[in-house]
Amino acid sequence: MTDPRAVSRPVQAVVLAGGQGSRLRPYTDDRPKPMVEIPGTGTPIIGHQLSWLAEEGVTDVVISCGHLAEVLQKWLETADLPVSVTTVVESEPLGRGGGLKYAAARLPHPDRPWYATNGDIWTRFSLRDMADFHTERDAVATLALARPRIPWGAVRTDGFGHITDFIEAPPSTFEINAGVYVFSPEFAGLLPERGDHERTTFPRLARERRLAGFPIPQGSYWRAIDTAKDLTEAAKELAAQGR
């Protein structure tokens, strides 16, 4: 029997892949950040993202390109892709919100919900569960929430001020925007033509209680690839998991 919730799950997605990746240099001197390979995998970040989206039921992806767009487009032309891909390139900078709106206009099903992800996110969790969470809360937009490990060791003290324990790289006590989203069809119309939706559209939806936050399940892998250290740590973590 078909799960009735499957009807409201997205089959289309936008990947935002236009960033400069300046903190990942020299890796991004000749390629955009999503084309950087995780050491030991032989596949760029965007390749892993497209595989994950396909596994979660996505059939069509629009990739918003920018920095060294031709490198990414050339790879897409020759790669064996698990989804149908369209690329868009902004003729002038539109900001994060404007760029997302510009890419969303190329989605094949404007009357259906869609996923979006930043092009530097390395993760695996159930997008289907996130889509169901989004539908159950009647949200216009849902953000995945992560608790990244802080890069320093922490200490635990008792009430008198004695140190009782040392904790290596503990998870943050705060949840952060994990860079993965579910959007209802009307969301694209709420995006600015130019500018940052995280300073305009998201706060507005939060005030109206139409913005939801989906905690990434405990034990699921998540990492934003921002620096060379992130690449090294991701390679170590994948090796430890035998992936």
Side-chain angles (χ1 to χ4, degrees):
M1 184 176 178
T2 303
D3 186 342
R5 296 177 300 179
V7 177
S8 60
R9 292 172 185 159
V11 296
Q12 54 187 357
V14 169
V15 176
L16 297 173
Q20 293 284 334
S22 56
R23 289 193 293 168
L24 257 178
R25 288 176 178 157
Y27 297 98
T28 51
D29 284 345
D30 62 354
R31 69 195 63 194
K33 190 193 292 190
M35 281 300 298
V36 173
E37 294 182 6
I38 305 295
T41 69
T43 303
I45 298 169
I46 188 72
H48 294 286
Q49 287 189 326
L50 294 176
S51 295
W52 175 48
L53 291 169
E55 291 165 6
E56 293 296 325
V58 172
T59 57
D60 294 270
V61 176
V62 177
I63 300 178
S64 178
C65 307
H67 173 63
L68 297 174
E70 65 279 2
V71 177
L72 176 52
Q73 290 171 324
K74 185 176 180 179
W75 180 82
L76 291 168
E77 290 171 3
T78 58
D80 183 14
L81 302 176
V83 293
S84 176
V85 171
T86 302
T87 60
V88 297
V89 181
E90 299 170 24
S91 57
E92 56 183 326
L94 300 175
R96 289 192 295 179
L100 188 59
K101 187 183 188 81
Y102 183 68
R106 296 293 301 274
L107 289 168
H109 310 289
D111 58 340
R112 299 188 64 178
W114 46 292
Y115 296 118
T117 181
N118 295 342
D120 59 356
I121 300 298
W122 174 271
T123 188
R124 279 292 189 280
F125 64 90
S126 175
L127 286 175
R128 292 181 173 92
D129 287 349
M130 185 177 173
D132 294 343
F133 180 96
H134 172 85
T135 300
E136 289 161 4
R137 282 148 187 81
D138 195 27
V140 172
T142 296
L143 287 60
L145 305 177
R147 290 185 185 273
R149 292 191 174 276
I150 63 174
W152 309 282
V155 296
R156 182 176 282 127
T157 61
D158 61 19
F160 193 65
H162 291 125
I163 292 176
T164 60
D165 198 8
F166 293 89
I167 308 165
E168 184 66 27
S172 167
T173 55
F174 292 99
E175 293 175 312
I176 67 162
N177 179 351
V180 180
Y181 312 91
V182 181
F183 296 134
S184 294
E186 62 266 37
F187 179 76
L190 302 176
L191 286 166
E193 297 291 338
R194 294 173 180 272
D196 188 349
H197 61 294
E198 295 193 10
R199 297 179 181 274
T200 54
T201 310
F202 280 173
R204 170 186 167 186
L205 291 175
R207 289 192 298 270
E208 297 171 352
R209 296 294 186 270
R210 295 193 295 165
L211 185 68
F214 174 78
I216 293 177
Q218 189 172 2
S220 297
Y221 188 77
W222 179 91
R223 179 177 284 276
I225 307 297
D226 289 322
T227 65
K229 184 178 180 181
D230 290 323
L231 281 176
T232 303
E233 292 299 316
K236 289 180 183 176
E237 290 158 355
L238 291 171
Q241 296 172 20
R243 294 165 67 179

